[in-house]
Structures are given as structure tokens and as C-alpha cells.
Amino acid sequence: MTILVIAEHDNNELKPVTLNTLSAAQAIGGDIHLLVAGSGCQSVADAAAQIPAVAQVLVADNDAYEHQLAENVSKLVQGLAASYSHILGASTTTAKNVLPRVAALLDVNQLSDVMAIESADTFKRPIYAGNAIATVKSADAIKVMTVRGTAFDPVEGAGGSAEVVNLSDVCDAGTSRFVNEEIAESERPELTAASIVISGGRGMGNGENFELLNKVADKLGAAVGASRAAVDAGFVPNDMQVGQTGKMVAPDLYIAVGISGAIQHLAGMKDSKIIVAINKDEEAPIFQVADYGLVADLFEAVPELEGKL
Amino acid sequence: MKVLVAVKRVIDYNVKVRVKADNSDVDLANVKMALNPFCEIAIEEAVRLKEAGVADEVVVVSIGSKSCEEQIRTALALGADRGIRVDTEDAPDSLSVAKLLAKVVEKEAPGMVILGKQAIDSDNNQTGQMLAALLDRPQGTFASKVAVDGDKVQVTREIDGGLQTVELQMPAIVTTDLRLNEPRYASLPNIMKAKRKPLDLLTPDELGVAVSSNLTLLSVEPPAERQAGIKVSSVDELVEKLRNEAKVI
């Protein structure tokens, strides 16, 4: 049994979530190959070769893969698939874009957002916004799946020396073209990788008030998130959204500020180790999942918290 | 240009689902059902394309039993011109749905297919991508902006950390994210008018698709419950607990 894992990267750096995905592959068992598809991505391939869990690194370095266009990468993976029992990617917008396409090309289903490996063909995954956990058995010849990073501890990133194989095949569908990208520049850690997350909800009142959270985040080295209500109200951009339709986070500490705790939001953060809720409504459902609840006006409590850190 | 919108009947967004006592599945008996929220956004986008003169017809398709005609009627009330239901058991897997939709697309030859990025029941986020693969057409997933220009469409996508814009050769498949638009409410006259709009029925046999699945649902369990903790009385106490009890700061 050999497993293919799709590396998550930006052509310069291998993203840490790849190590979590590799951990899920290890739980399935068998040799693991890591595919680095990109352009000018040698540094990523070098980093990938250092991972002890990886037996072989496949490098597809071509302009066609620079922006991970699904039309091109899916055909590349399709061409490699026959050698593999499983194909895994992280539950990121990149892999969620590409892997269902791969699955359809292979005439198999995909298992999305796998959170536990029961055996080589049986997996647990959340449904209904995490309000139910399904155990699903797949009889497909190749199991294609995306993996929830926060559910698997990362494998070691250094100390190995995997064989590196350069792929020469170029798959360019020619039907899509990258135009541009606007990535929010931030000194803070990424939401899904941060060990502390502080999120604001509708109670924040407006986007400017998120500055209160930013100050706390800077002191704690935390990432800043938001509830869907705050995103819908236009306070902050969509990529900050924690919840069923946003990002799934499971940090050591999650601080929910002015968030009532809709099931949609809880689905995205209830696996956090410690949850703190600050809300002036003591009936807010968020308090039912919080380890520490503070009933207070956030506009007084948050600056005070910042002062005491 | 014709726009095809695929929609799904799901549990209402505000209902908290419960797992059946025998752990065989979730309990949907007597639960309020509705149009999947992302599908509402898909309909709204298609209707806006028509209002802007970019599209000339909006066709809505749903796959399922007779009950999903209710959601097709809702889509018609929101501005779609006609409906198609493909008659199946209630929940075919994503691959089967994509295969059925691919056949409908071949029949209807739309310039664009718009779908929600995921359904809030199975949370799969697969069908649009699978449909695009089966048709060998480009995809613009998790769209927050759609701009048609001649035979191309520029789709701005919500990606981790920001936005990405891609240009797709049409026919193209678009899946919607939350910020694409704010769906309208159906007016009473439009709800009445929707009752008279055509709704055709197709079967998987007619489309030449065998609906089956290699996935077996073994069990469904409720998630591990989190116990409510304690209320602290002050910021000082909170900081003290986080430092000395939880040891997370």
C-alpha cells in the first residue's frame, strides 16, 4: 500500500499543515510519497525531502502548476494515481478545490474533512456542521480524501532524506488562467496553525473595534478570527471566519469575544483545548462550552485583559 | 447565455440536528427542510446575471424525491425561469449527483453552471468540482465575485488568507461562497407566479446514469460533548486561571 499526499505550499515554503496530513497518512499505514506541484518550488522539494515520514518526493515543477489551478493539477494527480491506494490532501481551500476533481476523474468518491482513521478503508468525518460524526466505509479502489489538520498531530519535519523524483509530464488544460491574488499581509500566525486564537462576533459593533482584539493578539502571539455574524455584518473579511463554512481551528486557547455561540460557530472551534468566553449576555450559548466565562462588557474587559498580559 | 443552477433540499439552517438513538443516521423526521443557503446564493447570482442582460434564461435543477420540488418552486419564485427534477432516492453521493448533473448539462448546454460550494447536511464541498471534472470544463470555486466578459468569466475566489482571481473559458462551473451576494426574499406575487412555471421530470435511466455508491455509512454519533466550565468574576481572575490552572498563557 502506497499513499500519495499532496503538499501544501506557496512555491517557497512547505506549509505546516502538510505535516498533519502526513500524520493521517501514517495512521493509514504504508509507504508515503509527497507530491510537490508548483513552479520554482525547489526549496519546497528540499524541505519535503527532510521529512522522515516521506519515502519519496515527487516534484512537478512547471508554470502550469504555479497557482495550483485545479484544471491542471487534477490531471497531473490523475496520471499518478494508479500507483496509489490513497490520495490525501489537507482541508484547505487549495486541496478542497483540486481533490474532488481528482476523485471524479478517477470515478471514485471523496471523503471530505476526515478527522479520524479507523482502518485503511473506514474513516470518521463531521457532518451537519459537526453536530454529528459519521463513520464511513469506502469500497473505492483509490481512496481520495481531505484531512482536517487539527485532528492529527504533525509528523517530524526534519532528519530524513527522501528520494526526490522529478516529473516531466506537463498537464495544462488551457481553460483557466490565474489573474491575481490579494493575500492579507499579517505578522500574526495563520488561524489554523495558531496555538492561541482570539475571535470577535457581532458584539464587536464594527470593524474598527477589532483593533481591541489585535492588541491582545499581539501580546499573546495569537491569530484573530471572527464569527460568521461579524463577517456577514461586514466588520472583517471572510478569511477570518471560524465555523462550519469558514475555518476549523483547535488551538490550545480560544478566546471568544462578543460571540453568542451559534452552532455554526461552535462547529469550528469546539475542539479547542481551553475556551474562554467574554460576553455581556450571561445566557449566551457560548458559555455552555466555555471553560472560563466572563460576563462583562467587552469594551471594558478586553482593554483590561490586554493591560494585564 | 443560459445559466443552469443546481440546488439541494437540506435541513433548515436554524435547526440543530439530532442523532437517532440507534446511531444509524441523523433524525430528519418532522424536521423543517429548506433550500441549502449556498444554493440560494447561486440562484441569486444567476438571476442577477439575467437582470443585467448577461444571461437570458435561468434553469434550476435538483436531484431527489418529489419533496425537493418544493425547493425548485422556491428557486422559481426567486426568479429562475424553469425547473428540472431528476428523480432519485433522497441522498445519492456526490459523484452520482455530479454524473446526473453532467448529463443535464449536456442536454441543456448552458454557458455557466452555478452551484453552492457545499451543502450544510453532508458538508462535502465536492459536487461542483466533480461536475467540472466530468465535463472537462474549468471551475471557479468559492466565488465572491463573478464577472462575465464575452466568452470568458473572471471569478474571484475566497482562498485561505485572501482572494484569488482566475479567468475561465466558458462554459464554466462556478461554486458560491457566502459573500458573493445577499439573496432576496421571494415576493408573494412571485411565489404565485412560480406555481405556473414549467417543471420537468427526468429519471437517471433517461440520462443513462446508474446511481450507486461505494460509500457505506456505518454509524452516526453525536460529537463529544463539552462540559460547561466556570464563570469567573473579573479579568484578574481570568488571567490568573489561564496562567496557573490552564497554563495556556
Side-chain angles (χ1 to χ4, degrees):
Chain A
M1 209 161 61
T2 311
I3 300 170
L4 182 67
V5 173
I6 316 293
E8 189 83 21
H9 67 91
D10 61 3
N11 293 319
N12 295 311
E13 278 178 14
L14 186 69
K15 299 279 179 184
V17 71
T18 307
L19 302 177
N20 304 78
T21 314
L22 287 165
S23 173
Q26 268 188 337
I28 296 168
D31 279 348
I32 301 172
H33 293 180
L34 186 61
L35 172 67
V36 177
S39 174
C41 54
Q42 189 57 45
S43 57
V44 180
D46 293 343
Q50 307 282 314
I51 304 169
V54 175
Q56 196 177 82
V57 178
L58 305 174
V59 184
D61 193 335
N62 189 280
D63 289 348
Y65 310 130
E66 184 177 1
H67 299 287
Q68 310 287 329
L69 292 174
E71 296 76 14
N72 302 347
V73 177
S74 62
K75 288 196 174 170
L76 170 71
V77 178
Q78 180 193 15
L80 301 168
S83 318
Y84 298 99
S85 58
H86 298 72
I87 301 175
L88 273 63
S91 286
T92 58
T93 49
T94 309
K96 286 195 279 195
N97 189 38
V98 173
L99 279 180
R101 201 163 170 124
V102 170
L105 291 175
L106 299 173
D107 196 26
V108 300
N109 260 290
Q110 180 190 279
L111 294 142
S112 295
D113 215 17
V114 169
M115 55 187 284
I117 312 285
E118 299 293 289
S119 72
D121 66 3
T122 305
F123 312 93
K124 283 189 191 287
R125 58 174 302 267
I127 54 177
Y128 293 90
N131 285 302
I133 309 297
T135 304
V136 184
K137 188 182 168 103
S138 166
D140 280 323
I142 303 175
K143 277 91 177 160
V144 176
M145 61 182 92
T146 56
V147 171
R148 178 180 288 196
T150 54
F152 297 91
D153 291 329
V155 298
E156 279 297 318
S161 57
E163 179 193 4
V164 178
V165 177
N166 286 296
L167 305 173
S168 53
D169 285 358
V170 178
C171 304
D172 189 348
T175 50
S176 59
R177 186 176 71 82
F178 171 84
V179 177
N180 63 47
E181 213 161 67
E182 297 164 44
I183 301 293
E185 292 289 336
S186 174
E187 296 296 308
R188 299 196 189 92
E190 243 186 297
L191 259 179
T192 50
S195 57
I196 301 179
V197 173
I198 180 164
S199 290
R202 199 192 296 277
M204 296 304 295
N206 60 45
E208 286 77 59
N209 289 337
F210 268 73
E211 195 51 39
L212 298 172
L213 306 187
N214 293 346
K215 286 182 184 159
V216 176
D218 288 341
K219 285 217 168 158
L220 291 171
V224 180
S227 70
R228 179 173 166 185
V231 172
D232 281 355
F235 298 172
V236 289
N238 188 68
D239 59 282
M240 284 173 64
Q241 189 195 323
V242 172
Q244 179 189 18
T245 53
K247 298 219 167 62
M248 300 288 176
V249 302
D252 293 336
L253 173 60
Y254 188 88
I255 306 173
V257 180
I259 292 177
S260 63
I263 51 173
Q264 210 282 137
H265 186 73
L266 299 184
M269 47 63 87
K270 65 182 167 48
D271 294 329
S272 307
K273 212 164 107 199
I274 298 289
I275 296 174
V276 170
I278 301 174
N279 201 306
K280 67 177 178 213
D281 173 13
E282 63 179 312
E283 301 298 320
I286 190 77
F287 287 120
Q288 290 163 22
V289 300
D291 298 282
Y292 303 111
L294 176 62
V295 180
D297 182 347
L298 72 91
F299 296 104
E300 288 164 19
V302 174
E304 188 185 345
L305 175 65
E306 188 223 329
K308 288 183 171 152
L309 292 170
Chain B
M1 177 178 73
K2 185 194 286 185
V3 177
L4 188 79
V5 181
V7 301
K8 186 176 183 184
R9 172 184 169 90
V10 298
I11 186 169
D12 185 88
Y13 190 78
N14 297 306
V15 176
K16 186 173 179 188
V17 73
R18 295 197 187 283
V19 173
K20 284 185 187 169
D22 65 358
N23 285 358
S24 61
D25 206 337
V26 296
D27 192 356
L28 294 181
N30 303 316
V31 167
K32 188 179 175 209
M33 303 295 279
L35 199 52
N36 180 46
F38 289 104
C39 301
E40 269 186 329
I41 297 172
I43 296 159
E44 177 67 30
E45 194 65 16
V47 171
R48 287 187 191 187
L49 286 171
K50 190 180 169 191
E51 287 167 349
V54 176
D56 47 33
E57 189 185 24
V58 176
V59 181
V60 60
V61 54
S62 191
I63 290 168
S65 62
K66 184 147 178 69
S67 54
C68 76
E69 288 187 7
E70 194 186 326
Q71 277 63 45
I72 296 176
R73 291 289 173 201
T74 303
L76 295 173
L78 291 168
D81 297 296
R82 62 187 169 90
I84 299 171
R85 177 170 73 85
V86 181
D87 186 43
T88 68
E89 297 277 320
D90 262 313
D93 64 32
S94 309
L95 183 63
S96 302
V97 170
K99 285 178 179 177
L100 292 166
L101 289 176
K103 292 295 175 187
V104 174
V105 170
E106 282 171 19
K107 243 170 94 84
E108 294 284 337
M112 191 186 297
V113 186
I114 312 181
L115 307 88
K117 76 164 178 179
Q118 80 191 63
I120 60 165
D121 50 3
S122 54
D123 280 337
N124 274 321
N125 192 335
Q126 299 172 351
T127 304
Q129 295 90 314
M130 288 182 159
L131 174 64
L134 296 175
L135 296 168
D136 198 19
R137 295 308 310 167
Q139 67 191 40
T141 53
F142 329 142
S144 66
K145 193 174 168 214
V146 174
V148 176
D149 180 15
D151 63 347
K152 295 190 175 74
V153 57
Q154 287 211 349
V155 180
T156 302
R157 309 177 50 232
E158 304 267 7
I159 60 168
D160 294 334
L163 297 171
Q164 179 192 66
T165 302
V166 290
E167 185 178 79
L168 313 174
Q169 192 72 45
M170 295 205 286
I173 286 59
V174 172
T175 76
T176 62
D177 214 322
L178 287 174
R179 287 198 302 178
L180 180 59
N181 59 50
E182 215 167 296
R184 70 194 67 189
Y185 293 96
S187 67
L188 192 57
N190 284 342
I191 293 171
M192 301 311 289
K193 249 201 291 190
K195 292 182 178 165
R196 294 190 302 273
K197 288 183 178 175
L199 199 169
D200 294 327
L201 184 66
L202 291 170
T203 66
D205 275 354
E206 285 166 341
L207 294 169
V209 176
V211 175
S212 63
S213 185
N214 278 332
L215 297 182
T216 314
L217 183 63
L218 298 183
S219 66
V220 174
E221 298 148 59
E225 283 291 327
R226 244 194 123 94
Q227 297 299 318
I230 57 161
K231 291 258 170 68
V232 293
S233 57
S234 67
V235 170
D236 282 324
E237 190 186 348
L238 175 62
V239 172
E240 192 273 324
K241 294 277 188 201
L242 291 178
R243 280 216 174 102
N244 303 321
E245 192 175 271
K247 297 187 169 68
V248 287
I249 57 170

